[in-house]
Amino acid sequence: MAIRLGDEAPNFTAETTEGTINFHEWLGDSWGILFSHPKDFTPVCTTELGTVAKIMPELKRRGVKVIAISVDPLDSHRSWIHDINETQCTTVNYPIIADPDKKVATLYDMIHPNAIDNMTVRSVFIIGPDKKVKLTLTYPASCGRNFDELLRVVDALQLTAQYKVATPANWKDGEDCIITPSVDDEEAKTLFPKGFRTVKPYLRYTPQPNKV
Ligand code: BEZ
């Protein structure tokens, strides 16, 4: 069955380019991103894995651990990493799961046979420190993902986990937020001392609460 938001991220133990990993133990108290790529030595995947290596400082700043997966074996991953580092001018600095028996890919429903046979699609799972799934994305093999969007979503998820706010369309870190409808105006005055502006009773904006 498909994994839904709020579900516990299924645990597994798998071989990776950084040794054997028990997923939940490896996550610890961190946020996590698990993302699949269809196949080693393919062009779009090469750019994606290089991009993730380059944004690692941004991920670390947000307390996010990243792990990639494909159904290719470990020796293939190891040799492909050389190509990624060379062509993308970076150093892959996170584990890649080898899943030749498709155990993890099946557990996470990453194989969509009507789209591509025998490989994973481009799945993303963002997992909170409580091990619950906070976001899922599925892209086709032909379309590389926007990793700036993943950073943006992590910012929104971390903010809304801490404060009674939601984020409007195209929100970016530092922009005004929406006060959640369950908060009435009296409570809003206490929770949001910077104030708020009411466009409609159900549409109230406040400066991002965790920014000075
Ligand atoms: C790619 O990463 O370029 C790719 C992988 C599988 C199918 C098509 C493209």
Side-chain angles (χ1 to χ4, degrees), residues 3-93:
I3 295 169
R4 295 177 178 174
L5 302 190
D7 291 353
E8 183 171 280
N11 195 21
F12 57 83
T13 298
E15 298 306 312
T16 84
T17 50
E18 297 188 0
T20 305
I21 279 178
N22 174 285
F23 188 48
H24 281 193
E25 284 175 14
W26 176 81
L27 280 170
D29 295 330
S30 297
W31 287 75
I33 296 181
L34 168 65
F35 73 107
S36 60
H37 59 266
K39 196 160 180 49
D40 293 1
F41 299 102
T42 50
V44 177
C45 298
T46 300
T47 63
E48 286 195 323
L49 272 78
T51 299
V52 171
K54 284 181 192 162
I55 64 166
M56 192 55 71
E58 286 300 315
L59 291 159
K60 281 200 172 142
R61 194 163 68 75
R62 292 163 172 83
V64 181
K65 288 184 164 182
V66 179
I67 190 163
I69 175 174
S70 91
V71 297
D72 286 315
L74 211 48
D75 56 349
S76 166
H77 287 354
R78 289 208 173 106
S79 114
W80 183 37
I81 283 174
H82 287 290
D83 279 10
I84 299 168
N85 291 346
E86 178 196 325
T87 63
Q88 307 306 302
C89 304
T90 190
T91 302
V92 171
N93 44 12

Side-chain angles (χ1 to χ4, degrees), residues 1-5 7-8 10 105-110 112 125:
M1 199 174 89
I3 295 169
R4 295 177 178 174
L5 302 190
D7 291 353
E8 183 171 280
T106 303
L107 190 62
Y108 276 81
D109 197 26
M110 291 167 166
H112 299 196
F125 295 87

Side-chain angles (χ1 to χ4, degrees), residues 80-151:
W80 183 37
I81 283 174
H82 287 290
D83 279 10
I84 299 168
N85 291 346
E86 178 196 325
T87 63
Q88 307 306 302
C89 304
T90 190
T91 302
V92 171
N93 44 12
Y94 54 91
I96 307 176
I97 297 167
D99 193 34
D101 57 4
K102 305 183 181 67
K103 189 181 82 176
V104 179
T106 303
L107 190 62
Y108 276 81
D109 197 26
M110 291 167 166
I111 296 176
H112 299 196
N114 292 329
I116 34 171
D117 219 12
N118 234 7
M119 301 177 207
T120 61
V121 289
R122 298 188 195 279
S123 303
V124 181
F125 295 87
I126 299 185
I127 296 151
D130 58 0
K131 311 283 185 298
K132 299 278 169 56
V133 173
K134 306 297 181 187
L135 175 128
T136 66
L137 277 177
T138 308
Y139 276 46
S142 55
C143 187
R145 285 157 284 200
N146 183 331
F147 290 92
D148 290 337
E149 166 62 2
L150 291 190
L151 291 175

